[in-house]
Amino acid sequence: MAAAEVPVPSEHFTQIKEQKWKPGEEEEKEEGGVQRMEAQEGAVEAEAAPCQLLDAVGLQKDQPELPLWVPAESDRRILTLQTVHLAPQEVHLQGLGWLSVPHSEEFPVMLPQEETFLPLPSVLWLEQEPQPGLQHCVTISIPEELYQPEELELMHFHLLQDSVPAAEVGQELTPNLGESAAPRKFEDQLSPGGEPDTEGEERLLFVEMTPNSEGKDAILLTISHLRLEEQQDQALPQQSSAPNAETTTPPRGAKGKTRTFQCDACPFTSSKFSTFTRHVKIHSDERPHLCHLCLKAFRTVTLLRNHVNTHTGTRPHKCGDCDMAFVTSGELVRHRRYKHTHEKPFKCSICKYASVEASKLKRHIRSHTGERPFQCCQCTYASKDTYKLKRHMRTHSGEKPYECPTCHARFTQSGTMKIHVAQKHGENVPKHECPHCATTIARKSDLRVHLRNLHSHSPEEIKCRYCPAGFHERYALIQHQRTHKNEKKFKCKQCDYACKQERCLKAHLRTHTGEKPFLCLDCSKHFRQKQLLTVHLRKYHDPSFVPDVHLCLKCGKGFSRWSNLQRHRKKCDSEQEKVATSKNGRPVQTRQATEEGPGWDNGMSLLTDSGLPIEAQCPGELALGHHGGGGSESAAGSENLDEGLTCEMIFNMMDK
DNA sequence: GCCCTCCGCGCCCTCTGCTGGATCTCT
DNA sequence: AAGAGATCCAGCAGAGGGCGCGGAGGGC
């Protein structure tokens, strides 16, 4: 970088701004072929008095050795200049204009690294001495990364002075360089003799001086193209010279043509000089209008005013149809489109989508193209817009910014919390009713799952488990299968046994196979059913077990089973209905027999038919009698069951 | 120089829908 | 007790609406 190569002459310079530009950042900073080079602070710190504005900038226009720089199309640059001070005794002035400063330790020169001496326009000397013993000059920092040596050899600046702000075409350019407070401009032709370097085109050099924050004069040099077009009634701006500089020749062939000002940094063109110069500013960092509240700087007063309104809450543009008000009229127009007129000028060419804003259409188009420009740095997820990526990043950070005000549960998304609040803490929570059945489901999305699982049409017929019926909808199948609920739908193929539960059939089938997979480890007795083993363990191997006894209140005889007691009662006292029983030794009222069954207690009432407690019998020889109250299935199954109990009876007992 | 309008970017929000784990119910 | 299925629930992403705000250019 050229500026960095300048041997810092120390105290004689106020400041030379280094270029911030880095090769790796070129593409980032380049927009429309423009490379901005920002001044960097602190290259050389000022020691002298505050820099004065240029009083004159002169340049010898026709030095034969002056190189002519013909920038390529992509070589549009903005150069940053800075006035510097030199003690006059250190420099042998060679008059105004380009000064070929010999490379020495004492003088600032800018040489390419190839050590080839180039008469670079590195220093522009000012004619007047602002202070005795102090000479002003302008250094031009041209980094060699941007300008190849061969290009530099062709460089030629033909500097003119133009102090007329926003000079209109044809206006007399009057030098006025004495004031330092306001920014000043210099318009210059670059081509030697003011001739267009290419047909119908001239290069313009704009130099703008603005006091920077340190009170020093930052000068922005902009090289632009001027395109000449035929126009008869438009006069050319007359070239005027700097106070002490030679007058340049007006561009040949310019007379009678209208000028279209074309920005070299972007495709912008304008026939109006003031518009053009205003445009040129967008390529600079000039922001003279400071917000007094936040010190943010703006290019224009209007922008500043709008900004200040955001501080003060001033919203001058009020909607006539609602209470909304906005800082700018544009916001109001947009608001009205969204809320009132529903005008949507931006229409998707692929679908019927239309939007109020172009950016929304652009975002929408991504849903067609699948473009996902916003890549997560921690996973493969990529988003179509920045907000989704930001929201996605919470899945990595674990952040849950939304808190339920009632139970303080936290959520990653506001919508999730909203549903939570509505359904957990809300009143009259709306339920979603299935249109095909009576089911109501809290969430719509779950209703959709319900519809998909139960009410979607299946192309293949789903067969009933119990009969040949078939259905194309699962819900109909389930409803149908429920009609089989009280049927003994599980039938043994080897006998007449039938039961309601499949597991009962499985247990029953062991009576055919003889399989007894459940072993008592204490007495090595095998059982066909796990439940029977459990009962066995409780009765014979649990010392704390006390069996229930069904007592005949008439004679006091005890029975282990309800059915035996019933049989006994008929014999004992046909007229007496009351039967007492004792549970765990305490006399209790036995349950009344019903049509469905005898009303078993949780524990089995285990007494032998003789009335002896089961403890009196040998384990493994327990002969449980037929239980007559278990329904008709027991009649078929009892003869095959272990110890005479139906498996359903046992399951029921265990379940209790 | 200022106003007006348009534009673009960013941010936040809502609605929507899918997914999978947890829980409940039924068998 | 256990499995299967239904429902509940939170997480997460897609899509789009609405607004804030600064920038840029035309017109006066």
Side-chain angles (χ1 to χ4, degrees), chain A residues 251-419:
Chain A
R252 272 204 311 257
K255 190 176 182 179
K257 293 180 179 178
T258 182
R259 294 189 172 198
T260 300
F261 298 91
Q262 179 184 355
C263 179
D264 254 10
C266 71
F268 176 79
T269 61
S270 175
S271 60
K272 197 173 169 185
F273 186 73
S274 60
T275 303
F276 175 62
T277 52
R278 183 176 68 175
H279 166 83
V280 165
K281 286 182 184 175
I282 74 169
H283 299 302
S284 78
D285 291 331
E286 183 201 356
R287 292 164 185 267
H289 305 283
L290 273 183
C291 171
H292 64 287
L293 295 171
C294 69
L295 301 182
K296 194 171 180 182
F298 298 89
R299 294 188 202 282
T300 68
V301 176
T302 305
L303 286 175
L304 173 61
R305 185 173 53 243
N306 287 344
H307 169 77
V308 170
N309 282 344
T310 68
H311 285 304
T312 61
T314 308
R315 292 164 178 261
H317 300 273
K318 302 188 190 311
C319 178
D321 294 326
C322 67
D323 294 334
M324 294 287 284
F326 301 90
V327 172
T328 67
S329 60
E331 292 172 53
L332 175 60
V333 168
R334 187 177 55 181
H335 159 79
R336 289 188 51 76
R337 281 180 178 166
Y338 270 124
K339 294 293 189 183
H340 306 303
T341 67
H342 305 295
E343 180 192 357
K344 295 180 177 179
F346 301 96
K347 301 186 191 317
C348 177
S349 58
I350 302 172
C351 68
K352 291 179 179 177
Y353 175 78
S355 66
V356 170
E357 298 178 81
S359 63
K360 299 298 183 286
L361 177 61
K362 185 180 174 185
R363 186 177 62 182
H364 164 81
I365 292 292
R366 291 194 190 121
S367 68
H368 290 303
T369 63
E371 184 194 5
R372 292 167 178 268
F374 305 97
Q375 174 71 48
C376 174
C377 59
Q378 296 187 42
C379 71
T380 58
Y381 174 76
S383 168
K384 293 183 173 75
D385 61 59
T386 53
Y387 177 69
K388 288 182 191 58
L389 177 60
K390 186 180 175 183
R391 190 176 60 181
H392 163 82
M393 295 310 288
R394 289 185 204 141
T395 66
H396 296 301
S397 68
E399 183 193 7
K400 294 185 174 183
Y402 303 97
E403 181 177 344
C404 171
T406 307
C407 68
H408 303 291
R410 302 195 74 91
F411 304 88
T412 56
Q413 293 188 10
S414 61
T416 310
M417 185 193 72
K418 190 179 173 184
I419 291 175

Side-chain angles (χ1 to χ4, degrees), chain A residues 10 52 127 133 277 283 305 322 520 523 547:
Chain A
S10 66
Q52 306 294 315
E127 188 183 43
T277 52
H283 299 302
R305 185 173 53 243
C322 67
C520 174
C523 63

Side-chain angles (χ1 to χ4, degrees), chain A residues 160-163 172-175 238-242 246-248:
Chain A
L160 286 178
Q161 186 172 318
D162 172 16
S163 67
E172 180 73 22
L173 301 177
T174 308
Q238 297 199 3
Q239 305 292 331
S240 71
S241 60
E246 296 181 38
T247 305
T248 57

Side-chain angles (χ1 to χ4, degrees), chain A residues 26 37 44 93 179 206 268 313 348 378 405 510 538 584 589 622 651:
Chain A
E26 181 172 1
M37 292 145 56
V44 181
L93 293 177
E179 297 172 10
F206 291 94
F268 176 79
C348 177
Q378 296 187 42
R510 294 193 193 111
R538 209 163 67 193
N584 294 335
Q589 188 74 22
L622 184 65
F651 287 143

Side-chain angles (χ1 to χ4, degrees), chain A residues 334-542:
Chain A
R334 187 177 55 181
H335 159 79
R336 289 188 51 76
R337 281 180 178 166
Y338 270 124
K339 294 293 189 183
H340 306 303
T341 67
H342 305 295
E343 180 192 357
K344 295 180 177 179
F346 301 96
K347 301 186 191 317
C348 177
S349 58
I350 302 172
C351 68
K352 291 179 179 177
Y353 175 78
S355 66
V356 170
E357 298 178 81
S359 63
K360 299 298 183 286
L361 177 61
K362 185 180 174 185
R363 186 177 62 182
H364 164 81
I365 292 292
R366 291 194 190 121
S367 68
H368 290 303
T369 63
E371 184 194 5
R372 292 167 178 268
F374 305 97
Q375 174 71 48
C376 174
C377 59
Q378 296 187 42
C379 71
T380 58
Y381 174 76
S383 168
K384 293 183 173 75
D385 61 59
T386 53
Y387 177 69
K388 288 182 191 58
L389 177 60
K390 186 180 175 183
R391 190 176 60 181
H392 163 82
M393 295 310 288
R394 289 185 204 141
T395 66
H396 296 301
S397 68
E399 183 193 7
K400 294 185 174 183
Y402 303 97
E403 181 177 344
C404 171
T406 307
C407 68
H408 303 291
R410 302 195 74 91
F411 304 88
T412 56
Q413 293 188 10
S414 61
T416 310
M417 185 193 72
K418 190 179 173 184
I419 291 175
H420 161 88
V421 169
Q423 296 189 342
K424 286 284 182 69
H425 313 302
E427 295 175 357
N428 301 323
V429 183
K431 290 274 185 180
H432 297 90
E433 254 184 50
C434 174
H436 305 296
C437 64
T439 310
T440 57
I441 297 175
R443 294 177 190 230
K444 198 176 178 182
S445 60
D446 289 328
L447 174 62
R448 194 166 285 104
V449 174
H450 167 89
L451 290 171
R452 191 173 56 218
N453 289 343
L454 293 179
H455 297 296
S456 62
H457 181 269
S458 170
E460 291 186 8
E461 201 175 62
I462 315 168
K463 293 287 182 188
C464 172
R465 293 163 66 190
Y466 317 121
C467 74
F471 301 87
H472 290 280
E473 184 196 47
R474 266 181 53 76
Y475 182 78
L477 171 71
I478 290 169
Q479 293 301 107
H480 165 79
Q481 287 184 157
R482 281 181 182 166
T483 65
H484 293 292
K485 187 174 181 179
N486 290 321
E487 293 176 3
K488 294 191 176 110
K489 44 200 179 256
F490 297 98
K491 295 180 173 61
C492 177
K493 293 177 181 174
Q494 300 180 40
C495 69
D496 294 334
Y497 174 80
C499 59
K500 294 177 185 175
Q501 297 183 36
E502 191 175 15
R503 57 182 172 176
C504 297
L505 178 62
K506 284 180 182 174
H508 162 79
L509 288 174
R510 294 193 193 111
T511 65
H512 294 298
T513 62
E515 184 190 7
K516 291 187 174 181
F518 301 99
L519 171 66
C520 174
L521 296 174
D522 291 334
C523 63
S524 300
K525 184 173 172 59
H526 288 79
F527 298 89
R528 291 199 176 97
Q529 299 173 26
K530 184 186 174 186
Q531 289 81 358
L532 290 171
L533 172 62
T534 306
V535 170
H536 164 83
L537 289 171
R538 209 163 67 193
K539 306 301 178 192
Y540 298 105
H541 301 294
D542 180 5

